[in-house]
Amino acid sequence: MESRFFSPSRQTGIFFTWYDSFTGVPLCQQNLSLEKASVLFNMAALYSQIGTRSDRQTIAGLEEAISSFQKSSVRFQAVLIAHSHPGILNHLKETHTHTPSYDMSPAMLSMLIRMMLAQAQECLFEKTALPGIRNQFSSLMKMAQEAAKVSEIYDQLHQSMIQTPIKDNVPFFWSTMSQVKTNHYSSMAHYFAASALLDHQLSLSDDEDQQEKTLSQVYDRLPEGRSPLDILKKKDERERIGKAHIRRAILGHEEALRIFGLCQHLNKLEALQEILKASHQRSLNKCSEYEDEEEFADYTEAPDIISKTEHKAEMEVPATTKVKVTDFFQRLGPLSVFSAKQRWTAPRTIHLCPKDRDLGFTLKGETPVQVVSLDPLCTAAADGLKESDYIVAVGDTDCKWMGVSDVMRLLKDVDEEGIDIQVISIMDSNPPMPTKSATFCGNLPKTYSMICLAYDDDDKNPKSRKVTKKPSFLSWGLKNKLKSASTLSLPTADHSGGLPWNKPCPTFPSSSTYNDSALY
């Protein structure tokens, strides 16, 4: 539709109105880009709704949710494109960079993309955990890093939400939810690490090198004086670090519950509250299994867990370009000719009467065909046919999509009575400016255009020549001091050897008196 009817050089007079999804402020523009970006934004929002409504208790439902959230992010980047499909949003972000709607500003779209990818990463974690987590050292440490990755992404999302100008219009419960999930998944990461260290002591049957490698990849920093091998081999060290992890998990769960209680909207989500309480209680139970009277004297701090994932959520570009669609306006003809970039005349009817089977012109081109080599004395030319005209119909047959061979097949059996064809002409949207005369001075030869010398007929016929004396071009710039600025000389050396580079650029006369010619 844009290519057919919306010219890049002129307004169409059609207004598009949309409402900002965060502020509710209406936006009205004579710009089809606003319409396209808004439709993409809504596509992303729909993908996000599909993701939230998927059954995340099954592998198929989780895969559907993951795909929907990733597609939504692409749409949001396309506007920076939708509420829940990062792929669409990313497309919006890259292609609609000047949309004056707040919800499609680069900062807001970037935040929405993060939100979609965070939810997709959370679904990937749930997909890994759904079949069950093997109660082994390496499996528990792997899940600890997966949970840390989800926490990290939600923390990045929260940081983007609290930045100006995003924080002024993002719903409070969005920001609160991102904080809750940051603390919840961080606590889960510490719980898994604690379980790996407390429940699994290194035995002779274990692969010591493999466990040491796993532990060294979980931490980027260990308490001073401790090494991964010391923690694995020494039971007291292993328990000390494990208890530190479980204490940190309990603190994180308590913080998640505290933030949850601050938001009235989240208080309505009873299922979320039950999950937070159950996770907190699980960590408390793990801690009670390893209670020690000397625990209060232990100030060991659990090291941070390096976030890592084997299944990173990425923007998934929807296959919209692969969808086969039908051009609603195909009957108008090929887009290469019948587009908003060009202007053409209304169809004209030309009557063809061949003489000795000669139509008086030839055809070229693909679709539609063009008239070339037109005989100016033929009947078609007398009836108004011009070179470069496009033939759009022969008789009652539309031939906008026909090639030369097809059109010639329609014309070859035309009888003496002739046949009517319809043609159009492309209008020149930028007509050439009339050629002006010019003279250059400054020790350069004087040159004139044909307009300057177009007095030959009058000069040859003195009787028809007017008596009014016209000033010569050379004297015009010299005698009229007011118009002396109309002569521009190339810089030449003066007596002091300097060049007048610092002189202002002269102006040219704008009076209509000198429309036919000008001195430069």
Side-chain angles (χ1 to χ4, degrees):
M1 184 180 292
E2 181 180 29
S3 300
R4 292 284 189 184
F5 307 115
F6 291 83
S7 172
S9 60
R10 61 182 183 273
Q11 296 289 348
T12 60
I14 300 176
F15 289 87
F16 299 97
T17 303
W18 288 85
Y19 293 84
D20 191 290
S21 58
F22 292 97
T23 64
V25 175
L27 179 65
C28 183
Q29 283 192 340
Q30 289 181 276
N31 192 340
L32 191 62
S33 293
L34 172 64
E35 180 77 3
K36 292 193 294 183
S38 300
V39 170
L40 281 173
F41 191 96
N42 281 359
M43 289 175 65
L46 286 172
Y47 271 117
S48 71
Q49 296 297 322
I50 294 172
T52 57
R53 282 161 173 74
S54 300
D55 182 5
R56 290 160 67 171
Q57 298 300 316
T58 65
I59 294 293
L62 282 167
E63 289 177 348
E64 180 184 45
I66 293 166
S67 178
S68 296
F69 285 127
Q70 290 179 149
K71 289 177 181 176
S72 180
S73 66
V74 174
R75 288 281 187 271
F76 276 122
Q77 193 164 347
V79 172
L80 277 191
I81 292 184
H83 277 328
S84 186
H85 197 297
I88 299 178
L89 294 174
N90 185 63
H91 174 66
L92 281 174
K93 183 179 180 180
E94 293 179 346
T95 60
H96 298 76
T97 56
H98 302 293
T99 304
S101 179
Y102 174 77
D103 56 2
M104 289 189 286
S105 63
M108 179 59 75
L109 286 175
S110 296
M111 186 278 292
L112 292 173
I113 292 172
R114 288 178 184 268
M115 186 167 68
M116 296 305 105
L117 292 177
Q119 293 177 97
Q121 191 67 52
E122 183 180 9
C123 291
L124 285 167
F125 174 84
E126 293 176 357
K127 181 182 176 182
T128 304
L130 187 62
I133 302 170
R134 298 180 65 183
N135 191 14
Q136 295 179 347
F137 180 84
S138 58
S139 298
L140 290 169
M141 283 300 185
K142 173 186 172 183
M143 291 305 298
Q145 291 188 285
E146 291 281 356
K149 185 65 177 181
V150 178
S151 174
E152 178 185 61
I153 295 177
Y154 270 113
D155 183 54
Q156 294 172 354
L157 171 62
H158 177 255
Q159 294 303 319
S160 66
M161 285 183 176
I162 62 176
Q163 301 298 320
T164 305
I166 303 299
K167 66 178 182 180
D168 298 329
N169 292 287
V170 166
F172 176 68
F173 73 91
W174 284 19
S175 176
T176 306
M177 178 67 86
S178 64
Q179 278 185 289
V180 169
K181 292 196 173 185
T182 297
N183 286 278
H184 173 67
Y185 281 100
S186 175
S187 299
M188 290 185 66
H190 287 287
Y191 173 82
F192 287 127
S195 298
L197 292 171
L198 294 174
D199 298 346
H200 298 277
Q201 301 297 327
L202 187 64
S203 64
L204 295 176
S205 61
D206 293 330
D207 188 339
E208 181 180 307
D209 293 338
Q210 181 62 37
Q211 286 199 15
E212 182 183 11
K213 180 180 179 181
T214 299
L215 196 61
S216 63
Q217 292 176 347
V218 170
Y219 304 128
D220 60 351
R221 175 186 60 83
L222 284 172
E224 187 176 353
R226 295 181 176 89
S227 67
L229 194 58
D230 291 335
I231 296 173
L232 290 173
K233 287 187 173 182
K234 298 178 180 179
K235 182 179 179 181
D236 58 338
E237 288 293 333
R238 193 168 184 139
E239 289 187 357
R240 185 176 290 109
I241 300 297
K243 290 178 182 179
H245 276 301
I246 203 64
R247 287 195 299 270
R248 192 163 173 182
I250 292 171
L251 291 175
H253 287 308
E254 291 175 349
E255 180 66 10
L257 285 167
R258 184 190 71 82
I259 297 171
F260 175 86
L262 296 176
C263 183
Q264 294 180 353
H265 285 85
L266 293 185
N267 287 333
K268 300 176 183 178
L269 303 177
E270 297 180 358
L272 175 60
Q273 187 177 26
E274 291 177 2
I275 291 173
L276 295 177
K277 288 182 177 180
S279 300
H280 181 225
Q281 188 61 48
R282 184 177 59 177
S283 295
L284 289 173
N285 294 339
K286 176 66 70 175
C287 184
S288 64
E289 294 176 10
Y290 296 91
E291 284 183 351
D292 190 339
E293 294 180 358
E294 298 180 359
E295 182 179 353
F296 293 104
D298 189 354
Y299 298 104
T300 302
E301 182 180 356
D304 293 331
I305 298 173
I306 298 175
S307 64
K308 183 181 178 182
T309 180
E310 295 181 358
H311 308 284
K312 184 179 179 181
E314 296 179 338
M315 287 176 288
E316 180 179 331
V317 180
T320 52
T321 56
K322 298 180 182 179
V323 178
K324 293 183 179 180
V325 296
T326 301
D327 184 1
F328 292 161
F329 312 102
Q330 186 175 11
R331 291 178 60 187
L332 293 177
L335 187 60
S336 59
V337 176
F338 302 99
S339 70
K341 295 181 180 179
Q342 302 190 72
R343 299 174 60 197
W344 56 90
T345 61
R348 309 189 312 276
T349 300
I350 305 295
H351 188 71
L352 298 183
C353 289
K355 291 184 178 180
D356 298 329
R357 304 182 65 84
D358 183 13
L359 295 173
F361 58 85
T362 57
L363 301 177
K364 73 169 185 177
E366 297 180 355
T367 55
V369 297
Q370 276 185 291
V371 174
V372 293
S373 303
L374 176 65
D375 182 358
L377 301 179
C378 69
T379 57
D383 202 18
L385 186 66
K386 302 175 183 177
E387 282 202 1
S388 299
D389 279 353
Y390 289 93
I391 298 179
V392 296
V394 176
D396 296 329
T397 304
D398 188 303
C399 57
K400 298 187 191 75
W401 288 96
M402 290 186 179
V404 173
S405 59
D406 296 326
V407 175
M408 290 305 297
R409 193 177 301 114
L410 294 175
L411 295 175
K412 75 175 183 177
D413 295 329
V414 176
D415 54 23
E416 295 181 355
E417 294 182 0
I419 191 172
D420 287 338
I421 65 171
Q422 285 192 325
V423 299
I424 63 166
S425 301
I426 295 294
M427 299 172 63
D428 190 357
S429 57
N430 296 310
M433 295 295 292
T435 307
K436 292 187 177 182
S437 63
T439 180
F440 297 88
C441 58
N443 299 325
L444 292 178
K446 281 73 176 176
T447 58
Y448 296 88
S449 70
M450 295 303 294
I451 289 182
C452 297
L453 306 176
Y455 301 111
D456 52 347
D457 291 339
D458 290 342
D459 292 340
K460 293 177 181 178
N461 189 3
K463 295 183 179 180
S464 62
R465 185 173 58 188
K466 293 184 179 179
V467 180
T468 306
K469 183 178 180 181
K470 296 182 180 180
S472 68
F473 282 100
L474 296 180
S475 62
W476 175 57
L478 298 174
K479 293 183 178 180
N480 190 348
K481 294 182 180 180
L482 295 177
K483 298 294 187 288
S484 60
S486 64
T487 302
L488 174 62
S489 300
L490 294 178
T492 56
D494 57 16
H495 295 291
S496 61
L499 296 176
W501 297 114
N502 60 341
K503 292 185 179 181
C505 181
T507 58
F508 301 107
S510 59
S511 172
S512 60
T513 307
Y514 306 107
N515 280 345
D516 290 338
S517 62
L519 288 173
Y520 293 85

